Amino acid sequence: MNIAINEIIKNYESDNEKTLNNLAKLLNFGKLGGTGRLIIYPVDQGFEHGPDRSFSINPEAYDPHYHISFAIDAGMSAFAAPLGMIESGFSTFAEKIPFILKCNSSNSLTSIKDQAITGNVKDALRLNCIGVGFTIYPGSEFNFKLIEEACTLFRKAKEAGLITVLWSYARGNMSKKGETAINIISYAAHMACLCGAHVIKVKLPTSYIEEDATKDAFVKNNIKIDTAVDRVKLIKKSCFNGKRIVVFSGGEAKNDNELFDEVKAIKEGGGNGSIVGRNCFQRPRDKALKLINSIINIYKD
Ligand code: FBP
């Protein structure tokens, strides 16, 4: 194992050998393998937003095989998806890319800020996944239940030698702007670390500070949050002073340059990488491949 990867892995002091090997697999796979950076391709938006809203702009994307083969050809570090999607490409793509089983999902046919459990450690092992993924909604009325579910899943996953990825998306008891406010994302990212996640996934924060009890600390202690680089640095600091892997989500489809600016800020701020879904499958395949290649080159540069 190279020095960069060793440096990251040694921060996970309590994990068994199998889990550490799976973490190493994630960090060594794909075009960013061995760099300490990673890029994950998540396809759970069919659950979260519905198939037509997600895929009709690029109809090939209705097919699960489209996504898994895209992840492989793009040189992604891993493919993350709910049960049915991984099952549907399991034998065709076995061993060709690390799978992360997304074990809960929400849907937009309801306005409730909760998630249903749709997968477990047994499924992840049956599907030869390297890890499990889970979403919590800090701030929602269901946040305590979601946090407890995440911890229960993670306990079993670690026993079974799997890694854990936590999508920590603030939602509920805050303004819409507050969901990506720097003070809220910092809090959400730290809670994800405390749940024991190996990889923390949050939205890229804005410089807006939500009115709440944490705001004062930002003002009094003059925490630097003006630029996207400052904000990525702060999130890494909130994640055990840089000792946890943090990836930032791509969000809704946007133009290439906007995305490149975000990636440059993540890189400069010491973030570990990106998790990009819609910005890939809502573009034609060739354009999406080019986009990911450029993102990879920014991280590698
Ligand atoms: P995207 O790159 O498409 O934003 O995917 C990342 C992701 O976390 C998905 O896993 C999830 O479905 C989606 O974002 C949720 O997005 P939103 O918070 O906008 O509903």
Side-chain angles (χ1 to χ4, degrees), residues 33-300:
T35 63
R37 314 274 178 170
L38 68 161
I39 180 161
I40 298 175
Y41 184 51
V43 188
D44 59 346
Q45 295 81 355
F47 235 140
E48 302 270 332
H49 308 139
D52 308 310
R53 196 168 141 209
S54 302
F55 307 136
S56 59
I57 192 165
N58 175 25
E60 288 179 288
Y62 281 96
D63 184 344
H65 283 210
Y66 173 86
H67 296 291
I68 310 177
S69 103
F70 175 80
I72 295 165
D73 293 348
M76 299 275 183
S77 315
F79 176 71
L83 188 76
M85 187 161 292
I86 294 189
E87 282 182 346
S88 100
F90 176 67
S91 64
T92 308
F93 300 103
E95 302 291 335
K96 296 210 170 104
I97 187 158
F99 286 143
I100 295 167
L101 180 66
K102 183 76 204 308
C103 289
N104 67 348
S105 281
S106 185
N107 69 71
S108 39
L109 295 179
T110 166
S111 57
I112 295 173
K113 311 278 182 236
D114 196 6
Q115 295 247 335
I117 295 177
T118 56
N120 59 26
V121 167
K122 238 178 152 179
D123 295 319
L125 293 174
R126 170 174 63 87
L127 296 171
N128 216 2
C129 296
I130 61 158
V132 292
F134 207 78
T135 296
I136 58 170
Y137 290 146
S140 107
E141 60 184 303
F142 299 103
N143 82 98
F144 295 117
K145 175 192 77 83
L146 287 164
I147 289 170
E148 285 166 17
E149 287 169 354
C151 292
T152 302
L153 175 76
F154 287 1
R155 200 169 298 126
K156 291 182 186 155
K158 288 172 189 174
E159 269 167 30
L162 299 171
I163 65 158
T164 58
V165 184
L166 196 53
W167 279 232
S168 191
Y169 284 175
R171 216 156 273 199
N173 189 29
M174 64 201 65
S175 66
K176 189 74 198 151
K177 247 172 113 183
E179 291 178 0
T180 50
I182 181 66
N183 53 334
I184 302 293
I185 298 275
S186 174
Y187 201 159
H190 186 73
M191 280 198 269
C193 298
L194 294 174
C195 288
H198 296 100
V199 180
I200 288 87
K201 172 178 188 252
V202 286
K203 300 200 176 194
L204 201 57
T206 65
S207 58
Y208 173 68
I209 306 180
E210 177 78 347
E211 276 309 326
D212 79 353
T214 67
K215 183 172 179 176
D216 257 15
F218 281 76
V219 180
K220 276 192 195 141
N221 301 322
N222 205 13
I223 300 178
K224 271 185 82 182
I225 52 162
D226 293 341
T227 67
V229 175
D230 292 334
R231 299 192 287 273
V232 170
K233 281 186 183 162
L234 179 67
I235 300 306
K236 272 296 278 188
K237 202 182 278 179
S238 305
C239 289
F240 294 173
N241 205 20
K243 289 184 174 154
R244 289 294 175 262
I245 298 167
V246 184
V247 293
F248 294 86
S249 60
E252 285 173 25
K254 52 188 79 133
N255 74 43
D256 291 13
N257 288 331
E258 277 177 274
L259 210 53
F260 296 151
D261 286 345
E262 289 183 6
V263 170
K264 283 176 195 158
I266 296 167
K267 188 192 169 192
E268 214 184 312
N272 296 87
S274 301
I275 178 152
V276 188
R278 281 167 287 181
N279 275 287
C280 295
F281 62 72
Q282 293 186 347
R283 279 173 169 75
R285 194 178 200 272
D286 55 336
K287 291 214 165 92
L289 282 173
K290 250 177 101 183
L291 176 88
I292 294 301
N293 202 43
S294 305
I295 290 178
I296 285 171
N297 285 336
I298 295 173
Y299 279 127
K300 265 187 167 169

